[in-house]
Coordinates of all heavy atoms in Angstrom, one line a residue:
M10 N 0.8 -1.2 0.0 CA 0.0 0.0 0.0 C 0.9 1.2 0.0 O 1.9 1.3 0.7 CB -0.9 0.0 1.2 CG -1.9 1.1 1.2 SD -3.2 0.5 2.3 CE -3.7 2.1 2.8
T11 N 0.5 2.3 -0.7 CA 1.3 3.5 -0.8 C 0.7 4.5 0.1 O -0.4 4.5 0.6 CB 1.2 4.1 -2.3 OG1 -0.1 4.4 -2.6 CG2 1.8 3.1 -3.3
A12 N 1.6 5.5 0.4 CA 1.2 6.6 1.4 C 0.2 7.5 0.7 O 0.3 7.6 -0.6 CB 2.4 7.3 1.8
P13 N -0.6 8.2 1.4 CA -1.5 9.1 0.8 C -0.7 10.2 0.1 O 0.4 10.5 0.4 CB -2.3 9.7 2.0 CG -2.1 8.8 3.1 CD -0.8 8.1 2.8
L14 N -1.4 10.8 -0.9 CA -0.7 11.8 -1.7 C -0.2 13.0 -0.9 O 0.9 13.5 -1.2 CB -1.7 12.3 -2.8 CG -1.2 13.4 -3.8 CD1 -0.1 12.8 -4.6 CD2 -2.3 13.9 -4.7
S15 N -0.9 13.5 0.1 CA -0.4 14.6 0.9 C 0.9 14.3 1.6 O 1.7 15.2 1.8 CB -1.5 15.0 1.9 OG -1.8 14.0 2.8
Q16 N 1.0 13.1 2.0 CA 2.3 12.7 2.7 C 3.5 12.6 1.7 O 4.6 12.9 2.1 CB 2.1 11.4 3.5 CG 1.2 11.5 4.6 CD 1.0 10.1 5.3 OE1 1.5 9.1 4.9 NE2 0.3 10.2 6.5
R17 N 3.2 12.3 0.5 CA 4.3 12.2 -0.5 C 4.6 13.6 -1.0 O 5.8 13.8 -1.3 CB 3.9 11.3 -1.7 CG 3.9 9.8 -1.3 CD 3.5 9.0 -2.5 NE 2.1 9.3 -2.9 CZ 1.6 8.9 -4.0 NH1 2.3 8.3 -4.9 NH2 0.3 9.2 -4.2
V18 N 3.7 14.5 -1.1 CA 3.9 15.8 -1.7 C 4.6 16.7 -0.7 O 5.4 17.6 -1.1 CB 2.6 16.4 -2.2 CG1 2.8 17.8 -2.6 CG2 2.1 15.6 -3.4
D19 N 4.3 16.6 0.6 CA 4.8 17.5 1.6 C 6.3 17.6 1.6 O 6.9 18.6 1.6 CB 4.2 17.1 2.9 CG 4.4 18.2 4.0 OD1 4.4 19.4 3.6 OD2 4.7 17.9 5.1
P20 N 7.0 16.5 1.6 CA 8.5 16.5 1.6 C 9.0 17.2 0.3 O 10.0 18.0 0.3 CB 9.0 15.1 1.7 CG 7.8 14.3 2.2 CD 6.6 15.1 1.8
L21 N 8.4 16.9 -0.8 CA 8.8 17.5 -2.1 C 8.6 19.0 -2.0 O 9.4 19.8 -2.5 CB 8.0 16.9 -3.2 CG 8.3 17.4 -4.6 CD1 9.8 17.2 -5.0 CD2 7.4 16.8 -5.6
A22 N 7.4 19.4 -1.5 CA 7.1 20.9 -1.4 C 8.1 21.6 -0.5 O 8.6 22.7 -0.8 CB 5.7 21.1 -0.9
R23 N 8.5 21.0 0.6 CA 9.5 21.6 1.5 C 10.8 21.8 0.8 O 11.5 22.7 1.0 CB 9.7 20.7 2.7 CG 8.6 21.0 3.8 CD 8.9 20.4 5.1 NE 7.7 19.7 5.5 CZ 7.6 18.5 5.9 NH1 8.7 17.7 6.0 NH2 6.5 18.0 6.3
K24 N 11.2 20.8 0.0 CA 12.5 20.9 -0.7 C 12.4 22.0 -1.9 O 13.4 22.7 -2.1 CB 12.9 19.6 -1.3 CG 13.3 18.5 -0.3 CD 13.6 17.2 -0.9 CE 13.9 16.2 0.2 NZ 14.2 14.9 -0.4
L25 N 11.3 22.1 -2.5 CA 11.2 23.0 -3.6 C 10.9 24.5 -3.2 O 11.2 25.4 -3.9 CB 10.1 22.6 -4.6 CG 10.3 21.4 -5.4 CD1 9.1 21.0 -6.2 CD2 11.5 21.7 -6.3
A26 N 10.4 24.7 -2.0 CA 10.0 26.0 -1.6 C 11.1 27.0 -1.6 O 10.9 28.1 -2.1 CB 9.3 25.9 -0.2
P27 N 12.3 26.7 -1.1 CA 13.3 27.8 -1.1 C 13.8 28.1 -2.6 O 14.0 29.3 -2.9 CB 14.5 27.1 -0.4 CG 13.9 26.0 0.4 CD 12.7 25.6 -0.3
V28 N 13.8 27.1 -3.4 CA 14.2 27.3 -4.8 C 13.1 28.2 -5.5 O 13.5 29.2 -6.2 CB 14.4 26.0 -5.6 CG1 14.7 26.2 -7.0 CG2 15.5 25.2 -4.9
V29 N 11.9 27.8 -5.4 CA 10.8 28.6 -6.0 C 10.7 30.0 -5.4 O 10.5 30.9 -6.2 CB 9.4 27.8 -5.8 CG1 8.3 28.7 -6.3 CG2 9.5 26.5 -6.5
R30 N 11.0 30.1 -4.1 CA 11.0 31.5 -3.5 C 12.0 32.3 -4.1 O 11.8 33.5 -4.5 CB 11.2 31.3 -2.0 CG 11.2 32.6 -1.3 CD 11.4 32.4 0.2 NE 11.3 33.6 1.0 CZ 12.3 34.4 1.2 NH1 13.5 34.1 0.7 NH2 12.1 35.5 1.9
E31 N 13.2 31.8 -4.3 CA 14.3 32.6 -4.9 C 14.0 33.0 -6.4 O 14.2 34.1 -6.8 CB 15.6 31.8 -4.9 CG 16.2 31.7 -3.5 CD 16.5 33.0 -2.8 OE1 17.0 33.9 -3.4 OE2 16.1 33.1 -1.6
M32 N 13.4 32.1 -7.1 CA 13.1 32.3 -8.5 C 12.0 33.4 -8.5 O 12.0 34.3 -9.4 CB 12.6 31.1 -9.2 CG 13.7 30.1 -9.5 SD 13.1 28.5 -10.1 CE 11.9 28.9 -11.3
L33 N 11.0 33.3 -7.6 CA 9.9 34.3 -7.6 C 10.4 35.7 -7.2 O 10.1 36.7 -7.9 CB 8.8 33.8 -6.6 CG 7.6 34.7 -6.5 CD1 6.9 34.7 -7.9 CD2 6.7 34.1 -5.5
L34 N 11.3 35.8 -6.2 CA 11.8 37.0 -5.8 C 12.7 37.7 -7.0 O 12.6 38.9 -7.2 CB 12.7 36.9 -4.6 CG 11.9 36.6 -3.3 CD1 12.9 36.4 -2.1 CD2 11.0 37.8 -3.0
A35 N 13.4 36.9 -7.7 CA 14.2 37.4 -8.8 C 13.3 37.9 -9.9 O 13.6 39.0 -10.5 CB 15.1 36.3 -9.3
E36 N 12.3 37.2 -10.2 CA 11.3 37.7 -11.2 C 10.6 39.0 -10.8 O 10.4 39.9 -11.6 CB 10.3 36.6 -11.5 CG 9.3 36.9 -12.6 CD 10.0 37.0 -14.0 OE1 11.2 36.6 -14.1 OE2 9.3 37.5 -14.9
V37 N 10.2 39.1 -9.5 CA 9.6 40.3 -9.0 C 10.6 41.5 -9.1 O 10.2 42.6 -9.5 CB 9.1 40.1 -7.5 CG1 8.8 41.4 -6.9 CG2 8.0 39.1 -7.5
E38 N 11.8 41.3 -8.7 CA 12.8 42.3 -8.9 C 13.0 42.7 -10.3 O 13.1 43.9 -10.6 CB 14.1 41.9 -8.3 CG 14.1 41.8 -6.7 CD 15.4 41.3 -6.2 OE1 16.4 41.1 -6.9 OE2 15.4 41.1 -4.9
R39 N 13.0 41.8 -11.2 CA 13.2 42.1 -12.7 C 12.0 42.9 -13.2 O 12.2 43.9 -13.9 CB 13.3 40.8 -13.5 CG 13.6 41.0 -14.9 CD 13.6 39.7 -15.7 NE 12.3 39.2 -15.9 CZ 11.4 39.6 -16.7 NH1 11.6 40.6 -17.5 NH2 10.2 39.1 -16.8
L40 N 10.8 42.5 -12.8 CA 9.6 43.2 -13.3 C 9.5 44.6 -12.6 O 9.2 45.6 -13.3 CB 8.4 42.4 -12.9 CG 8.1 41.1 -13.7 CD1 7.0 40.4 -13.2 CD2 8.0 41.4 -15.2
A41 N 9.9 44.7 -11.4 CA 9.9 46.0 -10.7 C 10.9 47.0 -11.4 O 10.6 48.2 -11.5 CB 10.2 45.9 -9.2
A42 N 12.0 46.5 -11.8 CA 13.0 47.3 -12.4 C 12.6 47.7 -13.8 O 13.0 48.8 -14.3 CB 14.4 46.6 -12.5
A43 N 11.8 46.9 -14.5 CA 11.3 47.2 -15.8 C 10.2 48.3 -15.8 O 10.0 49.0 -16.8 CB 10.8 46.0 -16.5
I44 N 9.5 48.4 -14.7 CA 8.4 49.4 -14.6 C 9.0 50.8 -14.5 O 9.8 51.0 -13.6 CB 7.5 49.1 -13.4 CG1 6.8 47.8 -13.7 CG2 6.5 50.2 -13.3 CD1 6.0 47.3 -12.5
K45 N 8.6 51.7 -15.3 CA 9.1 53.1 -15.2 C 8.5 53.8 -14.1 O 7.3 53.6 -13.8 CB 8.8 53.8 -16.5 CG 9.5 53.3 -17.7 CD 9.2 54.1 -19.0 CE 9.9 53.5 -20.2 NZ 9.5 54.2 -21.4
P46 N 9.3 54.5 -13.3 CA 8.6 55.3 -12.2 C 7.7 56.3 -12.8 O 7.9 57.0 -13.7 CB 9.8 55.9 -11.5 CG 10.9 55.9 -12.5 CD 10.7 54.8 -13.4
V47 N 6.6 56.4 -12.1 CA 5.5 57.4 -12.5 C 5.8 58.7 -11.8 O 5.7 58.8 -10.6 CB 4.1 56.8 -12.2 CG1 3.1 57.8 -12.6 CG2 3.9 55.5 -12.9
G48 N 6.0 59.7 -12.6 CA 6.2 61.0 -12.0 C 5.0 61.9 -12.1 O 3.9 61.4 -12.6
K49 N 5.1 63.0 -11.6 CA 4.0 64.0 -11.7 C 3.8 64.4 -13.1 O 4.7 64.8 -13.8 CB 4.2 65.2 -10.8 CG 3.4 65.4 -9.6 CD 3.7 66.6 -8.9 CE 2.6 67.1 -8.2 NZ 2.9 68.4 -7.5
P50 N 2.6 64.3 -13.7 CA 2.4 64.7 -15.1 C 2.5 66.2 -15.1 O 2.0 66.9 -14.2 CB 1.0 64.2 -15.4 CG 0.3 64.0 -14.1 CD 1.4 63.7 -13.1
K51 N 3.1 66.7 -16.2 CA 3.2 68.2 -16.3 C 1.9 68.8 -16.7 O 1.2 68.3 -17.6 CB 4.2 68.5 -17.4 CG 4.6 70.0 -17.5 CD 5.7 70.2 -18.5 CE 6.0 71.7 -18.5 NZ 5.6 72.4 -19.6
P52 N 1.4 69.8 -16.0 CA 0.1 70.4 -16.3 C 0.1 71.0 -17.7 O 1.2 71.6 -18.1 CB -0.1 71.4 -15.2 CG 1.2 71.6 -14.6 CD 2.1 70.4 -14.9
S53 N -1.0 71.0 -18.3 CA -1.1 71.6 -19.7 C -1.1 73.2 -19.5 O -1.3 73.7 -18.4 CB -2.3 71.2 -20.4 OG -3.5 71.7 -19.7
K54 N -0.9 73.8 -20.6 CA -0.9 75.3 -20.6 C -2.3 75.8 -20.2 O -2.4 76.8 -19.5 CB -0.6 75.8 -22.0 CG -0.7 77.3 -22.2 CD 0.4 78.0 -21.5 CE 0.4 79.5 -21.8 NZ 0.8 80.3 -20.7
A55 N -3.4 75.1 -20.6 CA -4.7 75.5 -20.2 C -4.9 75.4 -18.7 O -5.4 76.3 -18.1 CB -5.7 74.6 -20.9
D56 N -4.4 74.3 -18.1 CA -4.5 74.1 -16.7 C -3.7 75.2 -15.9 O -4.2 75.8 -14.9 CB -4.0 72.8 -16.2 CG -5.0 71.7 -16.6 OD1 -6.2 72.0 -16.8 OD2 -4.5 70.5 -16.8
E57 N -2.5 75.6 -16.4 CA -1.7 76.6 -15.8 C -2.4 78.0 -15.9 O -2.4 78.7 -14.9 CB -0.4 76.7 -16.5 CG 0.5 75.5 -16.1 CD 1.9 75.6 -16.9 OE1 2.1 76.5 -17.6 OE2 2.7 74.7 -16.7
D58 N -3.0 78.3 -17.0 CA -3.7 79.5 -17.2 C -4.9 79.6 -16.2 O -5.1 80.6 -15.5 CB -4.2 79.7 -18.6 CG -3.2 80.0 -19.6 OD1 -2.0 80.4 -19.2 OD2 -3.4 80.0 -20.8
I59 N -5.7 78.5 -16.2 CA -6.9 78.5 -15.3 C -6.5 78.6 -13.8 O -7.1 79.3 -13.1 CB -7.7 77.3 -15.6 CG1 -8.4 77.4 -17.0 CG2 -8.8 77.1 -14.6 CD1 -9.0 76.2 -17.5
M60 N -5.5 77.9 -13.4 CA -5.1 77.9 -12.0 C -4.5 79.3 -11.7 O -4.7 79.7 -10.5 CB -4.0 76.8 -11.8 CG -4.6 75.4 -11.7 SD -6.1 75.3 -10.6 CE -5.4 75.6 -9.1
Q61 N -3.8 79.9 -12.6 CA -3.3 81.3 -12.3 C -4.5 82.2 -12.1 O -4.5 83.0 -11.2 CB -2.4 81.8 -13.4 CG -1.8 83.2 -13.1 CD -1.1 83.2 -11.8 OE1 -0.3 82.4 -11.5 NE2 -1.3 84.3 -11.0
A62 N -5.5 82.1 -12.9 CA -6.7 82.9 -12.8 C -7.4 82.6 -11.5 O -8.0 83.5 -10.8 CB -7.6 82.7 -14.0
C63 N -7.5 81.3 -11.1 CA -8.1 81.0 -9.8 C -7.4 81.6 -8.6 O -8.0 82.1 -7.7 CB -8.1 79.4 -9.7 SG -9.3 78.6 -10.7
R64 N -6.0 81.6 -8.7 CA -5.2 82.2 -7.6 C -5.5 83.7 -7.5 O -5.6 84.2 -6.4 CB -3.7 81.9 -7.8 CG -3.3 80.5 -7.5 CD -1.8 80.4 -7.6 NE -1.5 79.0 -8.0 CZ -1.2 78.6 -9.2 NH1 -1.2 79.5 -10.3 NH2 -1.0 77.4 -9.5
T65 N -5.7 84.3 -8.7 CA -6.0 85.7 -8.7 C -7.3 86.0 -8.0 O -7.5 87.0 -7.3 CB -5.9 86.3 -10.1 OG1 -4.7 86.0 -10.7 CG2 -6.1 87.8 -10.1
V66 N -8.3 85.2 -8.4 CA -9.7 85.3 -7.8 C -9.6 85.1 -6.3 O -10.2 85.9 -5.5 CB -10.7 84.4 -8.4 CG1 -12.0 84.3 -7.6 CG2 -10.9 84.8 -9.9
A67 N -8.9 84.1 -5.8 CA -8.7 83.8 -4.4 C -8.1 85.0 -3.7 O -8.6 85.4 -2.6 CB -8.0 82.6 -4.2
A68 N -7.0 85.6 -4.3 CA -6.4 86.7 -3.6 C -7.3 87.9 -3.6 O -7.4 88.6 -2.5 CB -5.1 87.1 -4.4
A69 N -8.1 88.1 -4.6 CA -9.0 89.3 -4.6 C -10.1 89.0 -3.6 O -10.6 90.0 -2.9 CB -9.6 89.4 -6.0
A70 N -10.6 87.8 -3.5 CA -11.6 87.5 -2.5 C -11.1 87.7 -1.1 O -11.8 88.3 -0.2 CB -12.1 86.1 -2.6
D71 N -9.8 87.4 -0.8 CA -9.2 87.7 0.5 C -9.1 89.1 0.8 O -9.4 89.6 1.9 CB -7.8 87.0 0.5 CG -7.8 85.5 0.6 OD1 -8.9 85.0 1.0 OD2 -6.8 84.9 0.4
R72 N -8.7 89.9 -0.3 CA -8.6 91.4 -0.1 C -10.0 92.0 0.2 O -10.1 92.8 1.1 CB -8.0 92.0 -1.3 CG -6.5 91.9 -1.4 CD -5.9 92.8 -2.5 NE -6.5 92.6 -3.8 CZ -6.1 91.7 -4.7 NH1 -5.1 90.8 -4.3 NH2 -6.6 91.5 -5.9
L73 N -11.0 91.5 -0.4 CA -12.4 92.0 -0.2 C -12.8 91.6 1.2 O -13.4 92.5 1.9 CB -13.4 91.4 -1.2 CG -14.8 91.8 -1.0 CD1 -15.0 93.3 -1.1 CD2 -15.7 91.1 -2.0
A74 N -12.5 90.4 1.7 CA -12.9 90.0 3.0 C -12.2 90.9 4.1 O -12.8 91.2 5.1 CB -12.6 88.5 3.3
Q75 N -11.0 91.2 3.8 CA -10.2 92.1 4.8 C -10.7 93.5 4.7 O -10.7 94.2 5.7 CB -8.7 92.0 4.5 CG -8.1 90.7 4.8 CD -6.7 90.6 4.3 OE1 -6.1 91.6 3.7 NE2 -6.0 89.5 4.6
A76 N -11.2 94.0 3.6 CA -11.6 95.4 3.4 C -13.1 95.6 3.7 O -13.6 96.7 3.6 CB -11.2 95.9 2.0
K77 N -13.8 94.5 4.0 CA -15.2 94.6 4.2 C -15.6 95.7 5.2 O -15.1 95.8 6.2 CB -15.7 93.2 4.8 CG -17.2 93.0 4.6 CD -17.4 92.5 3.2 CE -18.9 92.0 3.2 NZ -19.2 91.4 1.9
Y78 N -16.6 96.5 4.7 CA -17.1 97.7 5.5 C -16.0 98.7 5.8 O -16.2 99.5 6.7 CB -17.8 97.2 6.8 CG -18.8 96.1 6.6 CD1 -18.6 94.9 7.1 CD2 -19.9 96.4 5.8 CE1 -19.5 93.9 6.9 CE2 -20.9 95.4 5.6 CZ -20.7 94.1 6.1 OH -21.6 93.1 5.9
G79 N -15.0 98.7 5.0 CA -13.9 99.7 5.3 C -13.7 100.6 4.1 O -14.5 100.5 3.1
P80 N -12.7 101.4 4.1 CA -12.5 102.4 3.0 C -12.1 101.7 1.7 O -12.4 102.3 0.6 CB -11.4 103.3 3.5 CG -10.8 102.5 4.6 CD -11.8 101.6 5.2
G81 N -11.5 100.5 1.7 CA -11.0 99.9 0.5 C -12.0 98.9 -0.1 O -11.6 98.1 -1.0
E82 N -13.2 98.9 0.4 CA -14.1 97.8 0.0 C -14.5 97.9 -1.5 O -14.6 96.9 -2.2 CB -15.4 97.8 0.8 CG -16.4 96.7 0.5 CD -17.6 96.7 1.3 OE1 -17.8 97.6 2.1 OE2 -18.4 95.8 1.1
I83 N -14.8 99.1 -2.0 CA -15.2 99.3 -3.4 C -14.1 98.9 -4.3 O -14.3 98.1 -5.3 CB -15.6 100.8 -3.6 CG1 -16.9 101.1 -2.8 CG2 -15.9 101.0 -5.1 CD1 -17.2 102.5 -2.8
A84 N -12.9 99.3 -4.0 CA -11.7 98.9 -4.9 C -11.5 97.3 -4.9 O -11.3 96.7 -5.9 CB -10.5 99.6 -4.5
A85 N -11.7 96.7 -3.7 CA -11.5 95.3 -3.5 C -12.6 94.6 -4.3 O -12.4 93.5 -4.9 CB -11.5 94.9 -2.1
R86 N -13.8 95.1 -4.2 CA -15.0 94.5 -4.9 C -14.8 94.5 -6.4 O -15.0 93.5 -7.1 CB -16.3 95.2 -4.5 CG -17.5 94.4 -5.0 CD -18.8 95.1 -4.5 NE -18.8 95.2 -3.0 CZ -19.1 94.2 -2.2 NH1 -19.5 93.0 -2.7 NH2 -19.2 94.3 -0.9
K87 N -14.3 95.7 -6.9 CA -14.0 95.8 -8.4 C -12.9 94.8 -8.8 O -12.9 94.2 -9.9 CB -13.7 97.2 -8.7 CG -14.9 98.1 -8.7 CD -14.5 99.5 -9.1 CE -15.7 100.5 -9.1 NZ -15.3 101.8 -9.5
S88 N -11.9 94.7 -7.9 CA -10.8 93.8 -8.2 C -11.2 92.4 -8.3 O -10.8 91.6 -9.2 CB -9.7 94.0 -7.1 OG -8.7 93.0 -7.3
L89 N -12.1 92.0 -7.4 CA -12.7 90.6 -7.4 C -13.5 90.4 -8.7 O -13.4 89.4 -9.3 CB -13.5 90.4 -6.2 CG -14.2 89.0 -6.1 CD1 -13.2 87.9 -6.2 CD2 -15.1 89.0 -4.8
E90 N -14.3 91.4 -9.1 CA -15.1 91.3 -10.3 C -14.2 91.1 -11.5 O -14.5 90.3 -12.4 CB -16.0 92.5 -10.5 CG -17.2 92.5 -9.5 CD -18.0 93.8 -9.6 OE1 -17.8 94.6 -10.6 OE2 -18.9 94.0 -8.7
N91 N -13.2 91.9 -11.6 CA -12.2 91.8 -12.7 C -11.5 90.4 -12.8 O -11.4 89.8 -13.8 CB -11.2 92.9 -12.7 CG -11.8 94.3 -13.0 OD1 -12.8 94.4 -13.6 ND2 -11.1 95.3 -12.5
A92 N -11.1 90.0 -11.6 CA -10.4 88.7 -11.5 C -11.4 87.5 -11.9 O -11.0 86.6 -12.7 CB -9.9 88.4 -10.1
A93 N -12.7 87.6 -11.5 CA -13.6 86.6 -11.9 C -13.9 86.6 -13.4 O -14.1 85.6 -14.0 CB -14.9 86.8 -11.1
T94 N -13.9 87.8 -14.0 CA -14.1 87.9 -15.4 C -13.0 87.3 -16.2 O -13.2 86.6 -17.2 CB -14.3 89.4 -15.8 OG1 -15.4 90.0 -15.1 CG2 -14.5 89.6 -17.3
K95 N -11.7 87.5 -15.7 CA -10.6 86.9 -16.3 C -10.6 85.4 -16.2 O -10.2 84.7 -17.1 CB -9.3 87.5 -15.7 CG -9.0 88.9 -16.1 CD -7.8 89.5 -15.5 CE -7.6 90.9 -15.9 NZ -6.4 91.5 -15.2
L96 N -11.0 84.9 -15.1 CA -11.2 83.5 -14.9 C -12.2 82.9 -15.9 O -11.9 81.9 -16.5 CB -11.6 83.1 -13.5 CG -11.8 81.7 -13.2 CD1 -10.6 80.8 -13.5 CD2 -12.3 81.5 -11.7
R97 N -13.3 83.6 -16.0 CA -14.3 83.1 -17.0 C -13.8 83.1 -18.4 O -13.9 82.1 -19.1 CB -15.6 84.0 -16.9 CG -16.7 83.6 -17.9 CD -17.9 84.5 -17.8 NE -17.6 85.9 -17.9 CZ -17.4 86.5 -19.1 NH1 -17.5 85.8 -20.2 NH2 -17.1 87.8 -19.2
R98 N -13.1 84.1 -18.8 CA -12.5 84.2 -20.1 C -11.5 83.0 -20.3 O -11.4 82.4 -21.4 CB -11.8 85.5 -20.3 CG -12.8 86.6 -20.6 CD -12.1 87.9 -20.9 NE -13.1 89.0 -21.0 CZ -12.8 90.2 -20.5 NH1 -11.6 90.5 -20.1 NH2 -13.8 91.2 -20.6
A99 N -10.6 82.8 -19.3 CA -9.6 81.8 -19.4 C -10.3 80.4 -19.6 O -9.9 79.6 -20.4 CB -8.7 81.8 -18.2
M100 N -11.3 80.2 -18.8 CA -12.0 78.9 -18.9 C -12.8 78.7 -20.3 O -12.7 77.6 -20.9 CB -13.0 78.7 -17.8 CG -12.3 78.5 -16.4 SD -13.3 78.2 -15.1 CE -13.8 76.5 -15.4
E101 N -13.3 79.8 -20.8 CA -14.0 79.7 -22.1 C -13.0 79.5 -23.2 O -13.2 78.8 -24.1 CB -14.8 81.0 -22.3 CG -16.1 81.1 -21.5 CD -16.7 82.5 -21.7 OE1 -16.1 83.4 -22.2 OE2 -17.9 82.6 -21.2
R102 N -11.8 80.2 -23.1 CA -10.8 80.1 -24.1 C -10.3 78.7 -24.2 O -9.9 78.2 -25.3 CB -9.6 81.1 -23.7 CG -8.5 81.1 -24.7 CD -7.4 82.1 -24.4 NE -6.9 82.1 -23.0 CZ -7.1 83.1 -22.1 NH1 -7.7 84.2 -22.5 NH2 -6.6 83.0 -20.9
H103 N -10.2 78.0 -23.1 CA -9.7 76.6 -23.1 C -10.8 75.6 -23.1 O -10.5 74.4 -22.9 CB -8.8 76.4 -21.9 CG -7.6 77.3 -21.9 ND1 -6.6 77.2 -22.8 CD2 -7.2 78.3 -21.1 CE1 -5.7 78.1 -22.6 NE2 -6.0 78.8 -21.6
G104 N -12.0 76.0 -23.4 CA -13.1 75.0 -23.6 C -13.6 74.4 -22.3 O -14.1 73.2 -22.3
R105 N -13.4 75.0 -21.2 CA -13.8 74.4 -19.9 C -15.1 74.9 -19.4 O -15.5 74.6 -18.3 CB -12.7 74.6 -18.9 CG -11.3 74.1 -19.2 CD -11.2 72.6 -19.2 NE -9.9 72.2 -19.7 CZ -8.8 72.0 -18.9 NH1 -8.9 72.2 -17.7 NH2 -7.8 71.5 -19.5
M106 N -15.7 75.8 -20.1 CA -17.0 76.3 -19.7 C -17.9 76.4 -20.9 O -17.5 76.8 -22.0 CB -16.7 77.7 -19.1 CG -17.7 78.3 -18.2 SD -17.1 79.7 -17.4 CE -18.5 80.3 -16.7
P107 N -19.2 76.1 -20.7 CA -20.1 76.2 -21.8 C -20.3 77.6 -22.4 O -20.0 78.6 -21.8 CB -21.4 75.7 -21.3 CG -21.3 75.6 -19.8 CD -19.8 75.8 -19.5

C-alpha cells in the first residue's frame, strides 16, 4: 500500500519551496526594475492659465474680506469682479466652460 498523496507531496514541497521562492523574488525584482517610475504629469498650458486665474480670484476675495465695510471695499470688490471675469475668459478660451 502507498502513502496518501499529501504525505508524499509534503517533503517535495518543502524541498522546492526555497528554490521557488528565490526564483519568484528574482522575477519580482526584474519586473519592478522594468516598470518606469511614474512622476507627476506636467500640467497643460490650459491648466496653468486657469489655475493662475483661480489664484488671482482667491487673492481678490481675500482682499475683499479684509476690506469689508472699510474704505477699500469698493476697490476690492471691483478687483474681485475683474479677476472673476478673467477666470471666466480663461475657462472659455480653453473650452472648460459652456
Side-chain angles (χ1 to χ4, degrees):
M10 186 157 150
T11 61
L14 182 61
S15 62
Q16 290 178 355
R17 286 183 292 165
V18 172
D19 194 36
L21 179 62
R23 276 192 228 128
K24 290 178 184 177
L25 287 177
V28 176
V29 172
R30 181 178 184 273
E31 292 300 320
M32 289 173 47
L33 184 61
L34 288 175
E36 184 66 13
V37 166
E38 288 176 6
R39 184 186 70 78
L40 291 173
I44 296 173
K45 293 181 182 176
V47 177
K49 247 183 153 178
K51 188 174 184 251
S53 67
K54 177 69 173 147
D56 289 336
E57 288 177 1
D58 287 347
I59 291 170
M60 286 309 298
Q61 182 58 43
C63 287
R64 286 186 209 97
T65 306
V66 168
D71 287 344
R72 282 193 303 276
L73 177 60
Q75 290 174 356
K77 198 81 168 184
Y78 308 115
E82 182 181 5
I83 294 172
R86 190 174 303 281
K87 286 182 180 180
S88 175
L89 178 58
E90 288 174 9
N91 290 337
T94 300
K95 288 180 183 177
L96 174 60
R97 180 181 51 83
R98 285 185 189 143
M100 292 184 73
E101 286 173 348
R102 180 174 51 244
H103 296 295
R105 305 285 173 91
M106 199 169 171

